[in-house]
Amino acid sequence: MIAPFLFPPVMPMMVREPITWPGKWEDLRFTAHVDPATSKPDYSSTYFGYEMRNAQSDTLCYAVQFPHAWAYGGEIRPHVHVQVPDNNAGDIVWQSTYKWANANTVFPANTVTPVTKTIAASSLGKHLVHSLTAIDGTGFNPSSMLLFCLARLGADAADTYAASIYVMEFDIHYQVGRHGTAVEFGPD
């Protein structure tokens, strides 16, 4: 005779406080969108990234949805992971263009913030990280959407790096505030 399968006893559901991880950082990562009108920038399998050309204004765009674990209202820190094809020094001018809206609200006008980063001599083969301007998240909730475009202003006089730069990834650091939310769209 085969013994009947015994299920474990049912445990009563326990009510728990939300799990929090104050002060811990996490990455938001997403796929780049290339401008369909120009099909630029090109992807390089040598550098595993998109080629942002010298003397051009190449742009990559991203759509970002904020997770329920985000310590909403907190500052977010966008940055770009890049490689360069030579050991020359120079400056890169990046421009961030973005707009951010909570669920079921209207997107505002674009905010534009340029930032200049220096490429040091002897950077060939290095994984470089360029921090962009931090963004204040006050008033924004989980499931809010950030529409973000990153451009290299290669034709700008301040952009003195005379070669392409390769964007391997763009991501945003945010602080984790909890395991999730009790409300599907918006704050608890």
Side-chain angles (χ1 to χ4, degrees):
M1 175 175 192
I2 299 175
F5 181 70
L6 300 175
F7 290 95
V10 176
M11 301 299 290
M13 188 118 180
M14 297 177 64
V15 177
R16 299 178 65 179
E17 290 297 314
I19 299 171
T20 60
W21 300 282
K24 303 295 183 189
W25 289 94
E26 185 58 85
D27 284 311
L28 265 178
R29 301 170 61 206
F30 16 80
T31 304
H33 299 280
V34 175
D35 183 351
T38 63
S39 297
K40 296 291 181 194
D42 291 327
Y43 186 81
S44 166
S45 59
T46 301
Y47 295 100
F48 290 89
Y50 289 97
E51 179 185 16
M52 307 295 262
R53 300 167 294 164
N54 175 35
Q56 302 291 319
S57 291
D58 290 326
T59 302
L60 292 168
C61 294
Y62 307 87
V64 181
Q65 180 187 6
F66 280 83
H68 290 259
W70 173 46
Y72 51 88
E75 177 180 84
I76 63 169
R77 298 180 183 174
H79 56 280
V80 60
H81 298 257
V82 300
Q83 289 189 70
V84 295
D86 61 29
N87 280 316
N88 297 321
D91 289 336
I92 297 284
V93 178
W94 296 110
Q95 179 175 282
S96 303
T97 303
Y98 64 90
K99 52 187 163 186
W100 195 352
N102 286 319
N104 303 310
T105 65
V106 175
F107 280 98
N110 286 335
T111 298
V112 178
T113 58
V115 63
T116 301
K117 295 295 178 177
T118 299
I119 303 292
S122 301
S123 292
L124 176 65
K126 290 184 181 177
H127 168 195
L128 306 174
V129 178
H130 290 177
S131 294
L132 305 172
T133 303
I135 301 172
D136 181 9
T138 300
F140 295 103
N141 301 323
S143 290
S144 60
M145 291 289 298
L146 177 73
L147 305 180
F148 194 102
C149 289
L150 173 69
R152 177 188 180 182
L153 302 183
D156 189 295
D159 189 310
T160 60
Y161 183 68
S164 294
I165 189 166
Y166 295 87
V167 173
M168 297 180 291
E169 184 172 88
F170 166 84
D171 65 288
I172 294 174
H173 284 170
Y174 69 96
Q175 286 196 304
V176 176
R178 60 180 66 218
H179 185 61
T181 60
V183 177
E184 188 174 4
F185 298 103
D188 287 337

